Amino acid sequence: MVLETLAGMEQPAALPAVAERLGAPVSQTYRVLRALQEEGFVDHVGRRGYRVGTRAIGLGALLGPWPELRALTYPVLVRLAGGTSLSARLHVRSGYDRVLLLAAVPPHDHDPSWRTRIGERSPLTRGCSGRAILAHLPESEIEAVLGARAGEEDGTLRTELRRIRGDGFAFSSAANHAGRRGISVPLTSASEVMGALSLSGPQAAVDEDGLRRLAGTVRAAADDIAGPLSAMLGPDATRRRYALDVLPPEHPRLDR
């Protein structure tokens, strides 16, 4: 009930406002929000209050992404995948992890050894999408993630994160999925990193130089997605979720 109420409010929403909307005591509302925050279903953004967390969005993706978000972002993924013949994937950050929200896979890339699992969670320390997000976080958050994932960190990770921040994109090869190679760029709004957009394909079909030449294409697609995603996840409280309530267009298909 608390999460549903928060989702229907302008976000971030202050604790007293959430309690008033619920008709519940502030102390009780706080305890529930704190429990949801610890599990990643709610984000606390300081004095501005609370907003729906990316883990809740990832869970929603398992049942079907939000129609208005899908209507505005999925066609971008389809165009990106169709124009490059590589798989396009949209991840959102969830605490120390990232969650796969949407994907567009060309017909020829249905590798039986690799599956696109909507809602899949992976650490920020692994793979090009995770590291593209991690490298662009504030230094204090990077340290928190690395501290929590200390067992997974290799000696070159900090150096790689600095390189990714300088380049604006990250590469990976067989990091999360055997036989796959990919490139990813962060999705940002103002100073906040919301997620990452990636392209990937079989290692035998695409090399790092080929992916590097596509960095600008992925960046342009990420810029197209950042606005709609920011309206749901970003820090600007003046952008209401109902601004995205549109009739979903006919989604282009990759096999046409």
Side-chain angles (χ1 to χ4, degrees):
M1 184 67 174
V2 174
L3 185 58
E4 184 178 357
T5 298
L6 177 62
M9 299 177 67
E10 180 178 350
Q11 298 172 42
L15 172 60
V18 179
E20 181 180 359
R21 180 72 65 89
L22 282 166
V26 170
S27 59
Q28 177 184 343
T29 304
Y30 170 77
R31 287 194 296 271
V32 176
L33 285 170
R34 183 59 184 268
L36 290 169
Q37 179 188 347
E38 289 176 354
E39 295 298 326
F41 291 104
V42 162
D43 291 335
H44 184 222
V45 286
R47 294 180 179 180
R48 291 180 294 164
Y50 296 85
R51 68 182 180 206
V52 174
T54 49
R55 188 175 184 188
I57 295 173
L59 180 61
L62 290 171
L63 305 175
W66 290 349
E68 62 271 27
L69 180 61
R70 179 184 173 92
L72 293 175
T73 59
Y74 185 66
V76 178
L77 269 68
V78 169
R79 288 195 298 271
L80 182 61
T84 62
S85 298
L86 298 172
S87 293
R89 289 154 58 103
L90 171 62
H91 288 88
V92 291
R93 182 190 175 193
S94 177
Y96 297 161
D97 299 327
R98 35 98 174 190
V99 177
L100 178 59
L101 190 63
L102 283 172
V105 181
H108 70 273
D109 196 20
H110 287 281
D111 183 346
S113 66
W114 176 74
R115 293 286 184 269
T116 296
R117 300 179 180 88
I118 300 300
E120 177 185 71
R121 296 175 66 86
S122 298
L124 293 180
T125 51
R126 294 217 314 264
C128 59
S129 292
R131 293 187 176 187
I133 296 170
L134 181 59
H136 290 83
L137 294 177
E139 194 63 34
S140 60
E141 294 187 43
I142 293 176
E143 291 302 319
V145 173
L146 295 182
R149 304 288 187 185
E152 300 176 21
E153 181 185 356
D154 60 44
T156 63
L157 180 53
R158 292 179 188 274
T159 300
E160 182 182 351
L161 292 177
R162 288 193 293 270
R163 180 193 63 76
I164 293 169
R165 183 184 287 270
D167 291 344
F169 53 83
F171 292 115
S172 67
S173 184
N176 280 322
H177 301 281
R180 305 288 300 183
R181 181 177 283 120
I183 184 173
S184 185
V185 302
L187 289 161
T188 59
S189 172
S191 60
E192 185 172 22
V193 184
M194 301 175 292
L197 179 64
S198 68
L199 277 178
S200 69
Q203 287 177 314
V206 60
D207 59 18
E208 188 170 304
D209 287 340
L211 289 173
R212 186 180 296 275
R213 288 192 291 271
L214 293 172
T217 301
V218 184
R219 177 74 269 166
D223 290 342
D224 289 340
I225 287 175
L229 194 62
S230 174
M232 285 193 172
L233 305 181
D236 188 350
T238 65
R239 304 182 69 176
R240 294 176 178 270
R241 180 182 166 193
Y242 64 65
L244 293 177
D245 287 336
V246 297
L247 293 175
E250 177 69 23
H251 293 154
R253 292 178 54 184
L254 292 176
D255 55 356
R256 286 180 178 171

